[in-house]
Amino acid sequence: MKLLLKAGLLIDGTGTTAVSEGAVVIEGDRISKVCKQSELLESDISGAEIIHKPNGTLMPGFIEMHSHIHCSAHTDAYTHITTESNETFLMRGTQAVRSALSSGVTTMRDLGSRNEVVFPLRKGIQDGIIPGPRFLVAGTPITTTGGHCNMFGTEANTSHEVVQAIRQQFKLGADHIKIMSTGGGFTPGTNVRAPQYSSEVLRGAVEDAERLGLKVAAHCHAAKGVVNCVKAGVHNLIHCSWLAEDPENMYDYDTDIADEMAEKGIYIDPTLALSHLNRMRGRIPVPGPGPASDPGRRFEILRDMWDRGVKFVTGMDSGMTNANFDDFAYIPQVMVEEMGISPIEAIICSTKTSADCLGMEAEIGTLSESKSADVLIIDGDPSADIKLLHSVDTIVSQGKIVKKEGILLI
């Protein structure tokens, strides 16, 4: 199959200036040419199915870095996750991956779902049984006994047990490792202000994962947990909330540690759209220790980290209450509106930087010759108005048309 996509603008994801009157030629599941429309040859056009959006923008597909596909995203998501069967989780997951793909997510990483659910779901997508994006999975997250997400995690307390859990996930075919370095708000009774693992245990986890060719993502709310993760060389920090040990204080932000993150090339997924979605959908934050209690200071910290050179990726924590699987575009929107970065910078985080974090920069993240044909056409110019990322006109995922000129085909 040969496909020619044309639009008024082209954003290739590299950070270069948008190209006017851009074109992308796709052959099979690969991009064969990226150029201005005036540079197209007859051989590029001949035999191609053409989709042309004069007022649209071509750009790479979205990369969603943090989902839990068997969670419901409902107010009672915790009740669902603790009472429903694996069969129900599979049905939820099937709906979740279709919903994500339908919104323009062409690569999706699940960072914590039951092995019995997420591995068969990945196989179902790969075999074409169900529609979904390129799907990367960690499987069960590693946590302490009774720790955060223990209800669908692997409980491991000592360094030996953690390494053993990593090897088991590797054996099952995990693409990444997820470890819960602190408590979390989704699991009652866990302490969001204290570490679950020492830096020594985390370092052992990173070393063994690297030996197996895997990267480690760590959930961390507590500032001490953030420090432990950075000292251990964890590749990707999730939330990175900097919560102070003393409940009388909200945050304990350490600029020296932020600088160390930047120096080590550690990627941060701050899941910063969650509080926005909760406010938008009428969920009033309960007074407590979470980042939602002081969002202004939270975004000041994130902006300072950005200015120090810390690299940000785009994870939703989809499946948590009010974080639906088709909500991706709110992430770059909040980055622009609350962190104060430019729309192009937010788009790069949503594409190229997230691909770099996954170690898949040769395959996805930018529009360039020989890369996977994961391409969107946006209705309008998102480099001028980031909210236009909600208006996806056309979706091509690995060379297959998922949505064409506003009509969903899956």
Side-chain angles (χ1 to χ4, degrees), residues 127-408:
D127 291 348
I129 298 170
I130 58 172
R134 177 184 292 99
F135 193 46
L136 309 173
V137 303
T140 57
I142 299 168
T143 190
T144 53
T145 299
H148 182 45
C149 290
N150 67 85
M151 70 291 285
F152 56 87
T154 297
E155 294 176 320
N157 299 299
T158 66
S159 183
H160 173 74
E161 290 171 346
V162 168
V163 167
Q164 193 172 37
I166 288 170
R167 293 174 183 176
Q168 177 63 21
Q169 292 309 108
F170 168 77
K171 180 180 177 180
L172 292 172
D175 299 297
H176 292 263
I177 297 297
K178 173 72 176 294
I179 190 165
M180 303 301 194
S181 79
T182 74
F186 188 58
T187 311
T190 61
N191 189 347
V192 295
R193 294 182 176 273
Q196 294 192 158
Y197 292 111
S198 68
S199 61
E200 291 77 17
V201 170
L202 291 169
R203 183 61 202 160
V206 170
E207 288 176 351
D208 206 61
E210 289 179 340
R211 178 184 67 84
L212 298 170
L214 297 173
K215 294 187 177 184
V216 177
H219 162 104
C220 52
H221 282 308
K224 283 192 173 181
V226 173
V227 173
N228 287 347
C229 287
V230 173
K231 296 301 181 185
V234 169
H235 307 99
N236 181 197
L237 272 57
I238 311 299
H239 306 302
C240 194
S241 303
W242 296 102
L243 296 181
E245 183 178 21
D246 182 355
E248 295 299 314
N249 300 310
M250 181 58 66
Y251 299 110
D252 186 15
Y253 175 49
D254 188 328
T255 55
D256 290 337
I257 295 297
D259 288 339
E260 190 173 343
M261 288 180 192
E263 291 164 9
K264 288 183 173 179
I266 293 172
Y267 294 84
I268 305 302
D269 165 20
T271 60
L272 45 68
L274 274 176
S275 57
H276 174 88
L277 291 169
N278 281 321
R279 290 193 304 271
M280 185 178 77
R281 292 175 176 151
R283 188 187 189 198
I284 300 172
V286 177
S293 302
D294 189 358
R297 177 57 182 152
R298 166 74 166 154
F299 285 114
E300 287 176 4
I301 290 170
L302 293 176
R303 179 59 201 232
D304 185 73
M305 292 170 66
W306 174 275
D307 290 340
R308 292 174 183 276
V310 176
K311 294 181 283 191
F312 282 62
V313 299
T314 45
M316 172 60 73
D317 210 356
S318 49
M320 298 295 103
T321 298
N322 287 326
N324 299 325
F325 294 93
D326 59 356
D327 277 337
F328 180 88
Y330 286 106
I331 306 171
Q333 178 184 331
V334 172
M335 294 180 89
V336 171
E337 293 177 349
E338 303 292 346
M339 274 182 62
I341 67 175
S342 74
I344 284 291
E345 289 171 326
I347 288 170
I348 292 170
C349 291
S350 306
T351 54
K352 182 182 184 300
T353 308
S354 290
D356 293 345
C357 178
L358 295 173
M360 298 185 67
E361 61 275 10
E363 178 74 3
I364 59 173
T366 59
L367 299 182
S368 59
E369 185 177 335
S370 80
K371 284 194 175 183
S372 179
D374 298 337
V375 188
L376 310 180
I377 301 179
I378 306 298
D379 190 1
D381 176 10
S383 67
D385 181 359
I386 196 66
K387 291 191 293 296
L388 290 175
L389 292 180
H390 293 277
S391 302
V392 181
D393 176 83
T394 295
I395 302 168
V396 178
S397 178
Q398 299 178 69
K400 296 178 181 178
I401 303 173
V402 173
K403 188 177 185 182
K404 181 179 178 181
E405 298 173 319
I407 305 298
L408 196 60

